Amino acid sequence: MSSHHDLVIRGGTVVLPTGQRPADIAVINGAISAIGSEVKGGAETIDARGLVVLPGVVDPHVHFNEPGRESWEGWEAGTRGAARGGVTTVLEMPLNAHPPTTTAAAFDVKLAVASQKALVDFGLWGGLVPENLGELETLHQRGVIGFKAFMSHSGIDDFRRVPDGVLAIGLKTTARLDALVGVHAESHEMVVRLGAELRAGGRTDRLAWCRSRPPAAEVEAIGRLLTCMRSAGKGVRAHVVHVSCPEGLNAVDAARSKGVAITAETCPHYLAFTDEDFERIGPPLKCAPPIRDATTRDALWQEVLAGRVDFIGSDHSPCPAADKQKGEDDIWQAWGGVAGIQATLPVLMTGGVHARGMSFERIAHLTSTTPAQAFGLYPRKGAVAVGGDADFALVGPQ
C-alpha cells in the first residue's frame, strides 16, 4: 500500500489543526491518505523542505464575470490567478456575469462554463434581488452556497439593490431554507446624498470617492441589516462582506455576542493600502467600501489579530483596463473593484506574519478553515487532515 501514493510532499512544516510540525503528506486520488514522518513511496514527490504547507485558501468572494462579460476576465484566467496565489477553492459571486446568477437557468449556464474552464475547485453564490424572491428555493436546490444582496447600488444595472423590506422577506425565505445571505452593507441613501453633494461641489479627485462612502455608511447599513434579521425571525444567518472599518466589525461583534448568527469578512486591500496609496495609485484601487486612512487600516489589523474578523475574502473584481483609465482625471468615472485574488496570502505574510507576529495557524484559520466551515465545505476543505482534499498552499516563510 505504502508505495502506491500518487504524490508525497516531503519535509515541509505542515500547519495542522493541532498546530505546525515537520511532516510528510501522502496523496491518493486527490485526497490526503497519510500524514507522518518518513512516508514511503510516492509516484511523484515535492520537496517542501524550508517551506510552510498551509491548507489551500478558500476564497469566499470572487467575481469572474463569465458568462456574458468574459472579456473582463473569465474562469480560466481568474482561476489561474487563484492557483498562483495558493487559492484552491473559489466561491464566485452572482454578478458581474450576464445574466447574473439570479435564476435557475442562469445558474445552469454558469455551472456549465465553470465546470469546463475552472482550474481550481469552485462553488457558486446565487443572487437576492427584488425580482427573484420566488427563485430562491430553486436556486438553493441547485446548490448555491449562499445568496448575495446589495443594500446600495451594485454598480451593475442588471443586479438591483434590495430595499429593507425586500431584504427582510428574502431573509425570512433563506432562514426557512437554512441558507446564508451575504450582504454588501453600505447605506444607499447616505452614499447617494454625499456623492451628489461632492460632485455638485466640483470634486473629481480620488479622495472625494472615499468621502462619499464613510465608515458611518457601513455602520448604518449593518444596523439596518440587524433590524431586518430580527424581523425575519428564527434561523436567519447573514454574512457581511468586505467590512473596511473596525466600527463595522464592532457592530457585528456586538450582535454576535447577543446570539445573532452573523459573520464578517475583510479584504487584503483594506489591510495593505491606505487612502494615501489610493491618492497615488488611483483607479486600480477604487472599490466600495473605499480604502480607508492609515489609522483605520491599523485598527483593522488589530481586529484581525483579536479574532473579530471571521475570514478574509479577496473581493477580486477585475475589469478592462480602459474602464479604470477613464477615471484618471475624474474618479467617479472609473469602474470600482480591485483585482487581488493572488494577493491574499502575500498580504497576510507581509502585514501579518512579518510586521505583526501573526501565526501561520491564524492564517490557516482565516483563509481556509473558517470559510470552509461557514459554507459547508469542512472537513473536506479547510484543513490538512487525512481524508480531506489534497488542497495545499506551499509558502516560503521568509
Side-chain angles (χ1 to χ4, degrees):
M1 172 67 194
S2 62
S3 61
H4 293 160
H5 303 306
D6 302 334
L7 170 69
V8 178
I9 300 172
R10 295 200 180 282
T13 300
V14 184
V15 180
L16 299 161
T18 51
Q20 49 179 299
R21 64 181 170 91
D24 297 344
I25 305 169
V27 175
I28 297 176
N29 292 333
I32 299 169
S33 52
I35 301 169
S37 54
E38 307 292 317
V39 172
K40 299 282 188 289
E44 183 188 347
T45 61
I46 293 173
D47 182 358
R49 285 174 300 182
L51 301 178
V52 174
V53 183
L54 290 161
V57 173
V58 177
D59 190 333
H61 191 157
V62 306
H63 300 262
F64 287 154
N65 318 300
E66 188 178 15
R69 289 189 175 95
E70 53 270 32
S71 60
W72 290 25
E73 179 191 73
W75 277 90
E76 188 181 348
T79 54
R80 191 180 298 281
R84 274 282 173 87
V87 178
T88 53
T89 303
V90 293
L91 304 181
E92 202 263 350
M93 287 291 175
L95 68 166
N96 306 311
H98 181 73
T101 318
T102 53
T103 65
F107 175 90
D108 293 345
V109 172
K110 185 183 277 190
L111 179 62
V113 172
S115 301
Q116 190 185 359
K117 295 188 175 181
L119 302 173
V120 300
D121 290 342
F122 66 89
L124 300 179
W125 285 85
L128 167 52
V129 292
E131 302 81 13
N132 83 328
L133 292 174
E135 292 266 357
L136 299 182
E137 186 162 2
T138 309
L139 281 165
H140 180 69
Q141 288 164 349
R142 281 289 203 281
V144 296
I145 53 89
F147 294 95
K148 173 74 176 289
F150 277 78
M151 295 179 76
S152 55
H153 182 49
S154 73
I156 293 276
D157 291 334
D158 60 17
F159 198 94
R160 287 173 52 202
R161 73 178 184 93
V162 285
D164 291 6
V166 176
L167 179 58
I169 296 166
L171 285 164
K172 191 166 261 187
T173 304
T174 55
R176 185 169 51 76
L177 301 171
D178 190 28
L180 182 75
V181 178
V183 180
H184 179 126
E186 284 184 294
S187 164
H188 178 72
E189 294 74 17
M190 194 181 294
V191 301
V192 167
R193 177 173 53 80
L194 291 172
E197 286 171 6
L198 286 156
R199 292 170 90 158
R203 292 280 301 270
T204 57
D205 60 289
R206 291 158 185 184
L207 288 186
W209 175 253
C210 301
R211 303 290 174 266
S212 74
R213 307 180 93 95
E218 287 186 75
V219 176
E220 198 263 0
I222 291 168
R224 287 187 8 233
L225 166 63
L226 290 165
T227 302
C228 292
M229 290 177 75
R230 278 195 296 275
S231 73
K234 283 191 172 61
V236 175
R237 293 191 295 135
H239 171 66
V240 186
V241 297
H242 53 48
V243 181
S244 72
C245 60
E247 301 93 323
L249 292 168
N250 291 340
V252 170
D253 204 50
R256 187 163 38 204
S257 69
K258 293 179 185 145
V260 179
I262 188 166
T263 50
E265 75 193 16
T266 194
C267 308
H269 40 276
Y270 301 126
L271 297 170
F273 298 111
T274 68
D275 55 2
E276 289 182 5
D277 298 311
F278 181 44
E279 269 196 290
R280 175 173 53 84
I281 294 167
L285 285 183
K286 180 184 172 182
C287 54
I291 305 292
R292 305 290 182 198
D293 62 22
T295 305
T296 303
R297 179 190 64 179
D298 294 342
L300 200 59
W301 266 114
Q302 292 312 309
E303 296 290 308
V304 169
L305 295 170
R308 283 188 288 272
V309 172
D310 294 280
F311 40 83
I312 309 285
S314 69
D315 192 10
H316 175 73
S317 184
C319 70
D323 288 350
K324 287 292 191 183
Q325 286 155 0
K326 64 188 181 193
E328 280 295 336
D329 301 315
D330 178 355
I331 198 60
W332 306 103
Q333 301 305 315
W335 168 256
V338 173
I341 198 164
Q342 285 172 234
T344 299
L345 278 181
V347 165
L348 293 176
M349 293 282 294
T350 302
V353 175
H354 298 307
R356 293 175 176 84
M358 188 180 197
S359 69
F360 282 107
E361 289 90 339
R362 188 91 198 105
I363 288 182
H365 197 73
L366 275 170
T367 63
S368 191
T369 308
T370 318
Q373 289 169 335
F375 295 99
L377 307 176
Y378 188 87
R380 191 178 154 191
K381 309 282 187 195
V384 179
V386 173
D389 284 359
D391 298 348
F392 312 108
L394 276 61
V395 299
Q398 70 286 0

